[in-house]
Amino acid sequence: MNEKFYSLSKEKQQAIINAGYRVFSQNSYKKSPMQEVADAAGISKSLLFHYFHNKKEFYMFLWTTCGKISISTMTSYGCYDRRNLFEMMERGLRAKIDIMKKYPFMGSFVIRAYYETDPSIQPEIEKSYAKLLSLKAAPSWSNLDPAQFIEGVEPERILREMYLVSEGYLWEIQKKGSLDMNEDIEKIEADFHEMIAFWKKIYLRKKG
């Protein structure tokens, strides 16, 4: 990547990143034209290729940027230093809402990228995802108090279930296209609070 990309204003960088997330979230890697990305970002295709040497480089930049944004935002919300899983999830929800407001297509891009089958990028995505998952899990699992859960339930299983349900829910929401930053995000927040309350009833050890 050309370092001149980082000399752009934060607003212009975000516009290019969001254009990439939007286009690549709507089609497969192969069927997502860079011209469409350039049009969505409001720049010429030649200028886009000035910042990124080729389509693969831009795509992988978008992918790694997802991880950086997620980890930095979750860290700033104090998600990784909680001993209570559901407090961690509440903070994580607020962090994700913040991300969705700034990068509305990032979630659907991540899901599509994860299931991408193009051989030119699939191995790199898979390898990067495994590394990213370990980075995200490491600081949180070590702090969780296992005594909070009912006997016989492994925390890893709970988190896996929550992850699958959450990603499936967000995928359904984002399949419809552009998000209404007020109505949709308000609904998402309310639905997640409801899901968290449900999981608390199932998995938390009863006191007394």
Side-chain angles (χ1 to χ4, degrees):
M1 183 183 72
N2 192 323
E3 289 300 315
K4 287 186 177 180
F5 175 77
Y6 289 114
S7 69
L8 297 172
S9 67
K10 293 294 184 182
E11 292 77 13
K12 198 61 181 178
Q13 289 182 40
Q14 187 170 331
I16 294 172
I17 290 170
N18 273 329
Y21 287 151
R22 178 179 178 179
V23 172
F24 285 115
S25 70
Q26 294 172 342
N27 287 296
S28 66
Y29 171 77
K30 187 176 182 179
K31 293 183 178 180
S32 297
M34 290 292 275
Q35 181 62 62
E36 193 172 330
V37 175
D39 291 343
I43 61 175
S44 66
K45 183 179 176 180
S46 60
L47 188 56
L48 182 58
F49 278 120
H50 175 67
Y51 297 134
F52 301 93
H53 298 110
N54 53 55
K55 182 177 177 179
K56 179 180 178 180
E57 182 180 74
F58 180 56
Y59 191 90
M60 293 307 300
F61 166 78
L62 293 175
W63 171 260
T64 56
T65 297
C66 289
K68 292 177 181 178
I69 291 171
S70 296
I71 290 176
S72 65
T73 307
M74 299 284 275
T75 300
S76 70
Y77 274 81
C79 301
Y80 297 132
D81 56 4
R82 305 294 103 188
R83 286 182 59 77
N84 183 287
L85 173 62
F86 296 101
E87 183 184 351
M88 183 175 73
M89 288 186 66
E90 292 282 358
R91 289 172 179 260
L93 173 60
R94 294 197 291 272
K96 286 189 175 184
I97 294 296
D98 187 17
I99 292 171
M100 289 178 72
K101 289 178 179 178
K102 296 175 183 175
Y103 303 94
F105 292 94
M106 192 175 87
S108 49
F109 167 81
V110 169
I111 296 172
R112 188 174 287 276
Y114 178 76
Y115 290 106
E116 180 60 60
T117 58
D118 191 295
S120 65
I121 60 168
Q122 192 273 333
E124 290 186 45
I125 292 291
E126 190 173 299
K127 182 178 178 180
S128 174
Y129 178 77
K131 181 179 179 181
L132 178 62
L133 198 61
S134 65
L135 287 174
K136 290 172 71 175
S140 53
W141 283 125
S142 59
N143 291 320
L144 286 181
D145 179 12
Q148 67 189 283
F149 305 113
I150 60 174
E151 188 176 350
V153 175
E154 297 177 357
E156 292 88 348
R157 179 181 173 184
I158 299 173
L159 195 63
R160 179 64 176 167
E161 176 187 319
M162 293 175 179
Y163 171 79
L164 291 174
V165 171
S166 300
E167 292 303 308
Y169 172 84
L170 290 175
W171 178 245
E172 286 297 318
I173 288 287
Q174 294 178 14
K175 272 199 310 184
K176 74 176 189 179
S178 297
L179 289 174
D180 182 308
M181 286 296 103
N182 294 315
E183 183 178 341
D184 285 339
I185 291 198
E186 186 176 320
K187 182 181 187 310
I188 289 168
E189 189 168 8
D191 286 347
F192 267 95
H193 279 303
E194 188 175 324
M195 284 190 277
I196 291 171
F198 174 73
W199 283 321
K200 281 182 178 180
K201 289 181 181 179
I202 296 176
Y203 294 122
L204 274 184
R205 188 187 297 270
K206 303 296 186 293
K207 294 181 179 179

